Amino acid sequence: MTGTSRAPGGHDADSAYRSSTRFEHETLPQRVCFASGEAAATVRAEVQRLGAARVMVIAAAAEAELAQQVTAGLPVVLRWSEVVMHVPVEVAERARAAAARGHVDCVVSVGGGSTTGLAKAIALTTDLPLVAVPTTYAGSEATSVWGLTEQARKTTGVDARVLPRSIVYDATLTVSLPVPMSVASGLNALAHCVDAMWGPRVDPIDRALAAEGIRALATGLPAVVTDPAGLWGRERTLYGTYLSAVAFSSAGSGLHHKICHVLGGMYDLPHAQTHAVVLPYVLAFNASAAPEAEQRIAAAFGAESAIEGLQRLRHDVDAPKALRDYGLEEADADNAVQAVLDVVPDSNPRPVTAHDLRRLLRSAWAGTDPSTMTDGKEDR
């Protein structure tokens, strides 16, 4: 049989048709070990794989007992419990100095995003290998993004040195995470998916990972709420968390994360809850200017529109509703406008003005209907 092959749309594949799909995607070098109930054995195997003999374990005081169980049998020479949200520079410096004094050759973090963030801060200046054992859905363990806060300003960056060599996911370690915190943390993961859809370096692989992450989180989180002790919902949520973080790390930080980093650094707001509250307002603001991304998000939710799907999920899991519930004053929202405007990505689908940010932040502060962000009408 002979003939000319045909490309989509009826064009000759070897002549008229020219692909418009062109991108570069870098896959991060990292081992991912996923097995419920096997954290201790898996961590031992990963540390042995690294050839480490002097391990530093980072875990907040509240998770000290859990960390003892997870790191049983390791050659631990230092346990560090000073873990502070948003990783203040002075805390990072003290931990780095302790690691140097202890001649540490590997760091194991057991905990949420703040714990992982501190381990990354150590790796940033020491090149020490990390093994991350998440107990929340923060996703930091799967990214090469670091963050430090100094004088009420949070600075983030990307560096291959901070990417954990291995992640050990064990859903049993998340069962003790209270439902409200699980919801906030899971919505933080969902924010990674949404921001990845229009991040500055987004490519088709990022969008595919983000869409699958949304599907996983949209089914996993309600199951966690319904059956907090059950593993299916916890595993599904952890799976979605990993996908969300990989997509976000590749696509880069978008408007949503820029807003939350500014608010967290300036006002020391709780990380996960801030992301959970701000997300629908950024989605509503950007959706009409990014129709392909909006359709992907809607399809992942199984909804008519992206914002409808997100709002339905938020209702089902009783999501955090307003920044004022977490200590932000109305004047703070206004005062943060310029700081956010200074870091808005040029790639954001919709132009962003100071007026837009003021409306968005005030709406998130009050917890008003996010649909008001879809057009230019004034607050009422």
Side-chain angles (χ1 to χ4, degrees):
M1 181 176 178
T2 62
T4 303
S5 61
R6 310 291 284 181
H11 300 294
D12 291 346
D14 58 355
S15 58
Y17 178 72
R18 293 293 182 270
S19 173
S20 60
T21 302
R22 184 174 182 175
F23 64 90
E24 295 179 358
H25 179 87
E26 184 172 344
T27 300
L28 299 177
Q30 184 180 61
R31 285 175 54 80
V32 180
C33 307
F34 201 115
S36 295
E38 300 180 19
T42 307
V43 169
R44 282 197 301 273
E46 294 307 300
V47 169
Q48 289 171 0
R49 181 184 293 273
L50 292 171
R54 299 183 65 82
V55 176
M56 176 182 188
V57 176
I58 300 178
E63 295 184 295
E65 183 177 348
L66 179 63
Q68 287 277 1
Q69 297 170 7
V70 169
T71 59
L74 296 185
V76 178
V77 297
L78 175 62
R79 292 187 180 273
W80 188 267
S81 62
E82 186 187 13
V83 175
V84 181
M85 188 171 57
H86 304 301
V87 195
V89 167
E90 59 272 20
V91 173
E93 291 292 355
R94 286 194 287 270
R96 290 164 175 166
R101 289 193 301 270
H103 302 288
V104 169
D105 60 5
C106 176
V107 178
V108 175
S109 63
V110 182
S114 298
T115 304
T116 307
L118 179 58
K120 285 181 167 185
I122 295 171
L124 184 64
T125 57
T126 65
D127 289 332
L128 287 172
L130 308 182
V131 176
V133 188
T135 61
T136 71
Y137 310 117
S140 177
E141 66 279 353
T143 80
S144 55
V145 179
W146 57 267
L148 291 165
T149 302
E150 185 173 19
Q151 296 180 347
R153 183 180 179 87
K154 186 168 185 176
T155 301
T156 61
V158 177
D159 195 301
R161 292 175 296 179
V162 309
L163 180 73
R165 302 286 182 86
S166 301
I167 310 171
V168 176
Y169 284 119
D170 181 341
T172 65
L173 304 183
T174 70
V175 170
S176 61
L177 190 66
V179 167
M181 190 61 214
S182 296
V183 167
S185 186
L187 290 173
N188 178 19
L190 190 65
H192 291 139
C193 295
V194 173
D195 235 13
M197 288 289 187
W198 42 60
R201 301 185 303 274
V202 66
D203 62 48
I205 296 174
D206 299 331
R207 289 193 173 114
L209 291 169
E212 176 63 9
I214 291 171
R215 281 189 283 270
L217 291 163
T219 54
L221 281 175
V224 170
V225 172
T226 302
D227 182 16
L231 289 185
W232 185 87
R234 301 280 182 178
E235 289 181 341
R236 187 77 175 155
T237 302
L238 271 181
Y239 165 67
T241 294
Y242 172 72
L243 294 176
S244 75
V246 173
F248 173 73
S249 188
S250 175
S253 182
L255 177 62
H256 171 86
H257 278 76
K258 297 300 185 182
I259 291 172
C260 293
H261 288 165
V262 167
L263 294 177
M266 289 180 68
Y267 306 115
D268 199 31
L269 298 183
H271 182 82
Q273 290 86 346
T274 300
H275 280 271
V277 171
V278 170
L279 178 58
Y281 299 98
V282 176
L283 176 58
F285 179 79
N286 273 343
S288 63
E292 181 183 354
E294 193 278 337
Q295 291 166 15
R296 283 176 176 265
I297 296 168
F301 278 123
E304 290 294 320
S305 71
I307 193 64
E308 175 194 322
L310 176 59
Q311 289 298 84
R312 184 175 64 201
L313 173 63
R314 286 172 53 80
H315 174 270
D316 290 347
V317 299
D318 192 22
K321 297 176 177 63
L323 292 178
R324 62 183 175 186
D325 296 335
Y326 300 98
L328 190 74
E329 301 292 337
E330 187 171 13
D332 295 337
D334 289 342
N335 293 336
V337 168
Q338 188 57 52
V340 174
L341 196 62
D342 289 343
V343 294
V344 170
D346 294 337
S347 61
N348 194 65
R350 178 176 167 183
V352 182
T353 67
H355 173 71
D356 294 329
L357 286 175
R358 190 170 292 107
R359 289 199 312 122
L360 191 156
L361 293 173
R362 283 182 176 177
S363 296
W365 172 81
T368 56
D369 183 358
S371 66
T372 60
M373 296 308 306
T374 61
D375 55 37
K377 61 189 176 186
E378 299 289 340
D379 296 327
R380 291 176 170 80

